[in-house]
Amino acid sequence: MNAAVEKDDKTLEKELTRHWLRPGERLLFGCAPIHGYVLAQIAAETRHPHEPLRQMPTLKPAPCLWPLPAKSVLDHWTDDPTVGFFVQAQHQDQHAVHFGDHLAHSKGEARLVLSSQRISIVYPTNLLHAPAPGAPRFTTFCELPVGQVRGLSAPFAGRSVPPVQVIGVDFVDGSTLHLRDPLAGLLVHRAQSR
């Protein structure tokens, strides 16, 4: 594992534990920012790249300078380094689409966080506004009870050699969110063992 990635993971764990968890709640994992486009397959519609389908909070992120993803990558989305997420759903009101909206809107600065009680999209508060002294460092959106997660996996995806391991979150409503994360296998194993 890359030493810098491992260090960032430990720092994020400490920050989420200290500034986001509620009393009695255990952190299962938190993703670092994943900079990349969101691709979505919603019923027969391919959203390439996905743009939010609902009102999003006002942010101060930097402009996106990435090239657009290749049109041919939907089935093998991890083969395009500009793609960080893949949403599969039957309709736009499913959980994975809501999560994908925030990941697309924040240009990867929002993070997926899973605890013993909830799964959420968490923004650094300073992306939304200058936080007042003592204000929370993180602002939560798309918070669902952890029971809305049907399964968590770390499948290999794409045609690259070696294939890329990703985080797969299956929601009880039948939608799925995949995330490209260099620690995918470790994070899923950690969540399943905590």
Side-chain angles (χ1 to χ4, degrees):
M1 181 185 327
N2 179 313
V5 171
E6 187 175 349
K7 181 180 176 191
D8 289 347
D9 176 55
K10 288 181 180 175
T11 300
L12 181 62
E13 282 244 320
K14 286 179 190 172
E15 287 185 353
L16 289 169
T17 299
R18 176 185 252 169
H19 301 289
W20 184 75
L21 287 182
R22 298 171 180 157
E25 188 175 21
R26 289 184 337 273
L27 182 66
L28 301 183
F29 77 76
C31 290
I34 301 169
H35 297 111
Y37 287 108
V38 176
L39 297 186
Q41 185 72 52
I42 304 172
E45 180 187 9
T46 299
R47 298 181 59 80
H48 191 278
H50 177 70
E51 293 293 331
L53 295 168
R54 55 201 43 82
Q55 186 70 32
M56 292 283 111
T58 302
L59 299 181
K60 305 181 299 185
C64 179
L65 302 175
W66 312 320
L68 287 172
K71 289 290 184 189
S72 62
V73 300
L74 190 60
D75 291 334
H76 305 288
W77 63 275
T78 57
D79 294 339
D80 187 326
T82 68
V83 180
F85 311 91
F86 182 50
V87 169
Q88 293 174 294
Q90 289 304 307
H91 56 81
Q92 67 182 23
D93 290 325
Q94 289 182 284
H95 300 318
V97 180
H98 289 268
F99 280 65
D101 283 353
H102 284 279
L103 295 166
H105 178 63
S106 72
K107 306 209 178 358
E109 287 296 324
R111 301 102 194 264
L112 180 73
V113 181
L114 180 65
S115 77
S116 57
Q117 297 176 10
R118 56 194 165 139
I119 184 167
S120 305
I121 292 291
V122 176
Y123 287 75
T125 300
N126 64 3
L127 277 181
L128 302 160
H129 53 79
R137 288 190 184 183
F138 298 106
T139 301
T140 304
F141 289 89
C142 276
E143 184 172 287
L144 295 172
V146 73
Q148 291 298 306
V149 175
R150 183 179 61 207
L152 190 63
S153 61
F156 289 94
R159 296 176 294 190
S160 299
V161 177
V164 176
Q165 195 169 20
V166 300
I167 297 170
V169 180
D170 295 317
F171 293 98
V172 296
D173 67 3
S175 64
T176 300
L177 173 65
H178 286 101
L179 304 90
R180 177 196 304 265
D181 191 294
L183 301 176
L186 173 74
L187 294 178
V188 169
H189 175 74
R190 180 188 297 165
Q192 292 171 338
S193 65
R194 286 185 170 173

